[in-house]
Amino acid sequence: TSLERIPLFPSRCPARLRVALDYDRGQVAFFDADERSLIFAFPAAEFGGRRVRPWFLVWGEGSGIEL
């Protein structure tokens, strides 16, 4: 929805992430998969029939993602 960076300050570093996409409602949310807690949800957006590929950037000392 925006190129603006949104800093997040979770209480702990999640080991696994879950991305939830509700295409019909235009909602994308990221969860800590182990704790089942919401990390961030984007405001509802109109996808206009386009294909959606959620992505996020992890930055900071010691940050990283493993697939």
Side-chain angles (χ1 to χ4, degrees):
T1 58
S2 170
L3 295 177
E4 178 184 345
R5 289 184 180 181
I6 301 168
L8 303 175
F9 303 98
S11 58
R12 70 178 200 87
C13 182
R16 298 182 317 133
L17 294 174
R18 179 171 65 94
V19 180
L21 168 65
D22 185 331
Y23 191 90
D24 293 332
R25 291 186 179 160
Q27 297 175 331
V28 179
F30 295 88
F31 293 86
D32 178 321
D34 295 322
E35 298 290 321
R36 297 184 179 177
S37 59
L38 177 67
I39 296 172
F40 183 78
F42 284 96
E46 175 60 44
F47 299 133
R50 294 178 303 228
R51 190 176 276 183
V52 176
R53 293 184 177 101
W55 62 275
F56 56 95
L57 171 70
V58 175
W59 77 92
E61 189 175 330
S63 304
I65 297 176
E66 292 181 25
L67 299 177

